[in-house]
Amino acid sequence: MKLPANIFITFLVCAPSFIHMARVFVYGTLKKGQPNYNRMLDSANGKAEFLASARTTHKYPLVIAGNYNIPFLLNIPDQGHQVQGEIYKVDDQMLTFLDAFEGVPTMYQRTLVKLEVMEWAGQTEGEERLAAGSAIEAFVYSTMAYQPDWPSLPKYESYDAYGDHGLEYVTRERRE
């Protein structure tokens, strides 16, 4: 039996598309309990699943800088601290949202970073459960575009917008 050509075309159009997932390491305002965490939960931005708490295997300067007290991970390896944060598994839509939110490529650059798992919580399909101390790679938003004095600012191991550093983060909604 010969099927009409439009049957094949319909199958191609209706076939589910492959959704690519990537791992992203967040260390600042996108972490749980921080001012922009709601953006990770907003399904309009895409899908994000928490996998683990982790820290960078190399030291980096994590500073709070600029008029809005934004946390910046300066792409200067072997200075500062092993930075603590969270690993998320995100779909392409969320990755695109995060790139725009983080101002890629001008404000931040998305690069791969090696991480050490501190505590694995992920129960997602296709992700192996890793023990504490295991190595994993994820994308991180770091910057090479910073003011000359930023490397001399205080460096933090873990960012908390509400921390005792006294540098109140200014949300986008409150900026001029």
mmCIF file of all heavy atoms in Angstrom, residues 61-78:
data_model
loop_
_atom_site.group_PDB
_atom_site.id
_atom_site.type_symbol
_atom_site.label_atom_id
_atom_site.label_comp_id
_atom_site.label_asym_id
_atom_site.label_seq_id
_atom_site.Cartn_x
_atom_site.Cartn_y
_atom_site.Cartn_z
ATOM 1 N N PRO A 61 38.734 34.951 41.709
ATOM 2 C CA PRO A 61 38.256 36.076 42.504
ATOM 3 C C PRO A 61 36.750 36.282 42.280
ATOM 4 O O PRO A 61 36.315 36.537 41.161
ATOM 5 C CB PRO A 61 39.039 37.274 41.971
ATOM 6 C CG PRO A 61 39.943 36.771 40.909
ATOM 7 C CD PRO A 61 39.573 35.363 40.606
ATOM 8 N N LEU A 62 35.975 36.131 43.332
ATOM 9 C CA LEU A 62 34.551 36.465 43.325
ATOM 10 C C LEU A 62 34.445 37.782 44.076
ATOM 11 O O LEU A 62 34.755 37.842 45.272
ATOM 12 C CB LEU A 62 33.735 35.364 44.009
ATOM 13 C CG LEU A 62 32.256 35.648 44.254
ATOM 14 C CD1 LEU A 62 31.517 35.954 42.955
ATOM 15 C CD2 LEU A 62 31.599 34.483 44.982
ATOM 16 N N VAL A 63 34.062 38.829 43.348
ATOM 17 C CA VAL A 63 34.002 40.168 43.931
ATOM 18 C C VAL A 63 32.598 40.733 43.779
ATOM 19 O O VAL A 63 31.808 40.265 42.955
ATOM 20 C CB VAL A 63 35.027 41.119 43.268
ATOM 21 C CG1 VAL A 63 36.457 40.591 43.440
ATOM 22 C CG2 VAL A 63 34.723 41.354 41.795
ATOM 23 N N ILE A 64 32.308 41.742 44.568
ATOM 24 C CA ILE A 64 31.053 42.482 44.459
ATOM 25 C C ILE A 64 31.442 43.861 43.965
ATOM 26 O O ILE A 64 32.232 44.553 44.617
ATOM 27 C CB ILE A 64 30.330 42.551 45.821
ATOM 28 C CG1 ILE A 64 30.057 41.138 46.332
ATOM 29 C CG2 ILE A 64 29.039 43.354 45.693
ATOM 30 C CD1 ILE A 64 29.533 41.089 47.760
ATOM 31 N N ALA A 65 30.896 44.259 42.807
ATOM 32 C CA ALA A 65 31.391 45.485 42.186
ATOM 33 C C ALA A 65 30.293 46.229 41.425
ATOM 34 O O ALA A 65 29.201 45.707 41.199
ATOM 35 C CB ALA A 65 32.531 45.139 41.227
ATOM 36 N N GLY A 66 30.658 47.425 41.000
ATOM 37 C CA GLY A 66 29.770 48.251 40.186
ATOM 38 C C GLY A 66 28.754 49.013 41.024
ATOM 39 O O GLY A 66 28.654 48.840 42.244
ATOM 40 N N ASN A 67 27.999 49.866 40.363
ATOM 41 C CA ASN A 67 27.007 50.705 41.031
ATOM 42 C C ASN A 67 25.887 49.903 41.675
ATOM 43 O O ASN A 67 25.212 50.398 42.575
ATOM 44 C CB ASN A 67 26.387 51.696 40.039
ATOM 45 C CG ASN A 67 27.394 52.693 39.511
ATOM 46 O OD1 ASN A 67 28.398 52.968 40.171
ATOM 47 N ND2 ASN A 67 27.149 53.228 38.340
ATOM 48 N N TYR A 68 25.666 48.661 41.208
ATOM 49 C CA TYR A 68 24.542 47.859 41.688
ATOM 50 C C TYR A 68 24.980 46.692 42.579
ATOM 51 O O TYR A 68 24.172 45.832 42.903
ATOM 52 C CB TYR A 68 23.734 47.342 40.496
ATOM 53 C CG TYR A 68 23.296 48.448 39.566
ATOM 54 C CD1 TYR A 68 23.698 48.468 38.239
ATOM 55 C CD2 TYR A 68 22.517 49.492 40.027
ATOM 56 C CE1 TYR A 68 23.309 49.497 37.391
ATOM 57 C CE2 TYR A 68 22.130 50.532 39.190
ATOM 58 C CZ TYR A 68 22.529 50.530 37.872
ATOM 59 O OH TYR A 68 22.146 51.547 37.039
ATOM 60 N N ASN A 69 26.258 46.676 42.964
ATOM 61 C CA ASN A 69 26.795 45.623 43.845
ATOM 62 C C ASN A 69 26.513 44.232 43.297
ATOM 63 O O ASN A 69 25.933 43.372 43.960
ATOM 64 C CB ASN A 69 26.257 45.787 45.269
ATOM 65 C CG ASN A 69 26.736 47.069 45.900
ATOM 66 O OD1 ASN A 69 27.893 47.439 45.749
ATOM 67 N ND2 ASN A 69 25.852 47.775 46.579
ATOM 68 N N ILE A 70 26.941 44.016 42.072
ATOM 69 C CA ILE A 70 26.744 42.751 41.368
ATOM 70 C C ILE A 70 27.909 41.813 41.677
ATOM 71 O O ILE A 70 29.069 42.240 41.678
ATOM 72 C CB ILE A 70 26.653 42.996 39.846
ATOM 73 C CG1 ILE A 70 25.437 43.866 39.536
ATOM 74 C CG2 ILE A 70 26.617 41.691 39.062
ATOM 75 C CD1 ILE A 70 25.363 44.363 38.105
ATOM 76 N N PRO A 71 27.618 40.528 41.941
ATOM 77 C CA PRO A 71 28.717 39.580 42.122
ATOM 78 C C PRO A 71 29.323 39.213 40.762
ATOM 79 O O PRO A 71 28.595 38.876 39.836
ATOM 80 C CB PRO A 71 28.041 38.369 42.765
ATOM 81 C CG PRO A 71 26.622 38.443 42.333
ATOM 82 C CD PRO A 71 26.310 39.903 42.153
ATOM 83 N N PHE A 72 30.620 39.317 40.668
ATOM 84 C CA PHE A 72 31.344 38.981 39.443
ATOM 85 C C PHE A 72 32.392 37.923 39.758
ATOM 86 O O PHE A 72 33.157 38.081 40.709
ATOM 87 C CB PHE A 72 32.074 40.196 38.869
ATOM 88 C CG PHE A 72 31.180 41.234 38.252
ATOM 89 C CD1 PHE A 72 30.741 42.317 38.996
ATOM 90 C CD2 PHE A 72 30.793 41.130 36.920
ATOM 91 C CE1 PHE A 72 29.930 43.284 38.430
ATOM 92 C CE2 PHE A 72 29.981 42.092 36.345
ATOM 93 C CZ PHE A 72 29.549 43.174 37.099
ATOM 94 N N LEU A 73 32.431 36.886 38.953
ATOM 95 C CA LEU A 73 33.516 35.913 39.004
ATOM 96 C C LEU A 73 34.507 36.342 37.931
ATOM 97 O O LEU A 73 34.207 36.258 36.732
ATOM 98 C CB LEU A 73 33.001 34.496 38.729
ATOM 99 C CG LEU A 73 34.042 33.392 38.874
ATOM 100 C CD1 LEU A 73 34.363 33.171 40.353
ATOM 101 C CD2 LEU A 73 33.525 32.108 38.271
ATOM 102 N N LEU A 74 35.651 36.850 38.362
ATOM 103 C CA LEU A 74 36.653 37.320 37.404
ATOM 104 C C LEU A 74 37.397 36.119 36.849
ATOM 105 O O LEU A 74 37.820 35.234 37.599
ATOM 106 C CB LEU A 74 37.622 38.287 38.083
ATOM 107 C CG LEU A 74 37.007 39.479 38.821
ATOM 108 C CD1 LEU A 74 38.104 40.383 39.366
ATOM 109 C CD2 LEU A 74 36.045 40.252 37.941
ATOM 110 N N ASN A 75 37.557 36.093 35.558
ATOM 111 C CA ASN A 75 38.228 34.970 34.914
ATOM 112 C C ASN A 75 39.739 35.133 35.058
ATOM 113 O O ASN A 75 40.465 35.380 34.105
ATOM 114 C CB ASN A 75 37.811 34.865 33.448
ATOM 115 C CG ASN A 75 38.183 33.534 32.854
ATOM 116 O OD1 ASN A 75 38.998 32.806 33.407
ATOM 117 N ND2 ASN A 75 37.595 33.203 31.733
ATOM 118 N N ILE A 76 40.172 35.011 36.315
ATOM 119 C CA ILE A 76 41.601 35.071 36.659
ATOM 120 C C ILE A 76 41.879 33.837 37.510
ATOM 121 O O ILE A 76 41.812 33.878 38.737
ATOM 122 C CB ILE A 76 41.955 36.349 37.449
ATOM 123 C CG1 ILE A 76 41.442 37.616 36.750
ATOM 124 C CG2 ILE A 76 43.469 36.431 37.663
ATOM 125 C CD1 ILE A 76 41.624 38.887 37.564
ATOM 126 N N PRO A 77 42.166 32.702 36.856
ATOM 127 C CA PRO A 77 42.401 31.465 37.619
ATOM 128 C C PRO A 77 43.556 31.598 38.604
ATOM 129 O O PRO A 77 44.489 32.370 38.382
ATOM 130 C CB PRO A 77 42.728 30.433 36.538
ATOM 131 C CG PRO A 77 42.217 31.007 35.267
ATOM 132 C CD PRO A 77 42.286 32.500 35.422
ATOM 133 N N ASP A 78 43.453 30.848 39.689
ATOM 134 C CA ASP A 78 44.486 30.725 40.713
ATOM 135 C C ASP A 78 44.637 31.966 41.582
ATOM 136 O O ASP A 78 45.674 32.160 42.216
ATOM 137 C CB ASP A 78 45.830 30.313 40.099
ATOM 138 C CG ASP A 78 45.707 28.995 39.351
ATOM 139 O OD1 ASP A 78 44.988 28.101 39.842
ATOM 140 O OD2 ASP A 78 46.308 28.857 38.269
#
